[in-house]
Amino acid sequence: MIRSLSFIQLFVILTVGYTGGVLLYRSIPSADFTLLVQLYDQRAVSDGSPSLVYQLLSVLSFYIVAAALALSGRTKWLVMMSGALKSVLFGLSSAYLLADGLKMTVYAGWWFPFQLAATLLVFFCCWTLSPPFYLKQPKKKKFSWRVPVLFAAAGLIVFFADKIVYKLTGG
């Protein structure tokens, strides 16, 4: 029961963040969200292929920020904010892409599944870095970075799979 509560918590944060990003895009129509979307995924804004280093930094930045926040006891409660920010940017970018005229088949077949998987991996990494209060162990155990690093590695695998599918679809 306890584990299912934490997965429900993660999916609620994902849903609220995604919906918040879409509503942010819809509620301020005159605002130019190009810079925010470009920070999240530069391919969504421009037709050209951005540099691989910039894209890797964009993907890894959420993991790096979450790990940096998890190092201190004073900022550990902000770790899930990194995942929530990725979720909001995911919703904002989705609304931007669909409003900009991206074909629904390309969106549903390429962009959405890979971005959803990447966002979920960031959430799981944040969850292991700073578990909810009801999952914490009462005695001090030495923290292992193995699981968060595995989630970051899985995020890189999803990133490269995304790049391959993007190239195959004509991106």
Side-chain angles (χ1 to χ4, degrees), residues 7-164:
F7 283 114
I8 291 170
Q9 175 192 15
L10 290 177
F11 287 114
V12 165
I13 294 171
L14 174 69
T15 306
V16 169
Y18 181 86
T19 306
V22 171
L23 290 175
L24 178 66
Y25 183 81
R26 297 289 179 203
S27 65
I28 311 174
S30 62
D32 186 18
F33 292 109
T34 307
L35 180 64
L36 280 176
V37 174
Q38 191 172 14
L39 287 174
Y40 181 69
D41 189 358
Q42 198 171 19
R43 297 170 300 173
V45 176
S46 65
D47 291 333
S49 182
S51 72
L52 182 65
V53 174
Y54 181 82
Q55 289 179 347
L56 278 173
L57 284 175
S58 176
V59 169
L60 291 176
S61 65
F62 293 100
Y63 295 104
I64 293 169
V65 167
L69 290 172
L71 290 175
S72 172
R74 292 179 185 224
T75 59
K76 200 165 189 139
W77 61 276
L78 288 171
V79 171
M80 284 305 287
M81 291 295 286
S82 174
L85 177 64
K86 179 150 175 90
S87 179
V88 169
L89 289 174
F90 174 37
L92 181 71
S93 299
S94 292
Y96 181 87
L97 279 171
L98 291 174
D100 201 37
L102 185 70
K103 293 180 183 170
M104 186 57 81
T105 55
V106 175
Y107 174 78
W110 159 64
W111 200 81
F112 184 82
F114 285 105
Q115 296 303 321
L116 178 64
T119 304
L120 284 174
L121 286 170
V122 169
F123 271 121
F124 292 146
C125 180
C126 292
W127 183 56
T128 59
L129 287 170
S130 177
F133 69 92
Y134 49 82
L135 289 178
K136 291 184 180 171
Q137 300 294 331
K139 58 182 177 176
K140 290 279 188 181
K141 284 178 33 177
K142 188 174 187 295
F143 181 74
S144 172
W145 285 92
R146 191 176 132 244
V147 176
V149 168
L150 284 174
F151 281 122
L156 285 176
I157 290 170
V158 167
F159 166 74
F160 285 116
D162 178 11
K163 293 276 296 172
I164 290 168

